[in-house]
Amino acid sequence: MVDTNPDYPGLRSLVEDIPDEVMKEFQELAIQYTTASNQGGVNAAMQEILGVNMDVVNKIDDNMPKTYMTDQAGIDEMIRQLDKKVPGLLKRVKTITSNSNLIFSRLEDAGYISNQQKQLIVKEFTKIETELEGIQETLSRWVDVRDTGNFFGFHSNTKNKATF
């Protein structure tokens, strides 16, 4: 334990019953986000944590077919980075969501957040986990299709949806 300011009790008493590996995942995610965003804002944090190049994403939003034709290498690299980084992020988020009641109840008990804020945080982390699971599944299929060169690797998993 490091006592950074002896005039304040700190957060140690709040987190002492939260397993170290859970706090480690939470801290590493917070540090990674903070460091990247301090160096280059939210876009830099998205690049660092997810592998998302927001410049490429913004081009895609403007005109997907044109962007893919003119920046195929950038899109392919972003997909590979997403495929590489999403599993680690998902692991961290799952650690947080599976311990979210413990983590955020302690913050609520200490008066740092309200019950309403706690419920919102837990809900949002759960949504993030669900979205990351979907992203990971889709990305893995996209990378497999790109790596094999089988661009006709579509299959129908529902009546109205075709996916890689």
Side-chain angles (χ1 to χ4, degrees):
M1 181 174 88
V2 176
D3 189 4
T4 57
N5 189 339
D7 295 334
Y8 294 94
L11 298 174
R12 186 66 195 161
S13 63
L14 296 176
V15 298
E16 62 191 0
D17 62 339
I18 299 172
D20 287 343
E21 64 275 2
V22 173
M23 286 308 301
K24 179 179 181 268
E25 295 292 339
F26 192 77
Q27 288 173 323
E28 286 178 355
L29 183 58
I31 290 167
Q32 186 180 19
Y33 177 84
T34 301
T35 301
S37 65
N38 283 341
Q39 292 173 352
V42 174
N43 288 353
M46 294 294 288
Q47 179 82 37
E48 175 65 26
I49 293 171
L50 279 172
V52 173
N53 181 333
M54 290 307 294
D55 292 334
V56 173
V57 169
N58 290 333
K59 286 183 205 174
I60 291 170
D61 285 346
D62 291 340
N63 187 335
M64 173 59 170
K66 179 181 176 188
T67 302
Y68 191 75
M69 296 304 288
T70 60
D71 197 5
Q72 182 177 354
I75 292 172
D76 288 347
E77 178 58 25
M78 184 174 65
I79 290 170
R80 284 189 188 354
Q81 285 300 311
L82 279 161
D83 190 52
K84 178 180 169 185
K85 292 183 178 204
V86 166
L89 177 59
L90 180 57
K91 178 184 175 283
R92 285 185 172 144
V93 169
K94 281 185 175 191
T95 299
I96 293 166
T97 56
S98 64
N99 292 279
S100 62
N101 193 45
L102 176 61
I103 294 168
F104 300 112
S105 288
R106 294 305 306 248
L107 292 173
E108 178 191 6
D109 293 344
Y112 285 98
I113 61 174
S114 68
N115 183 270
Q116 184 179 10
Q117 290 169 318
K118 178 186 105 174
Q119 296 303 321
L120 179 62
I121 292 168
V122 170
K123 179 182 172 185
E124 292 303 317
F125 265 103
T126 302
K127 283 170 134 177
I128 291 168
E129 179 180 333
T130 301
E131 292 296 323
L132 286 171
E133 287 171 339
I135 290 168
Q136 182 177 9
E137 182 180 319
T138 300
L139 286 169
S140 293
R141 285 182 277 164
W142 284 356
V143 169
D144 287 346
V145 167
R146 282 296 296 161
D147 288 346
T148 62
N150 179 12
F151 298 103
F152 300 104
F154 293 99
H155 70 276
S156 177
N157 63 357
T158 66
K159 287 185 175 189
N160 298 321
K161 283 185 163 179
T163 62
F164 285 100

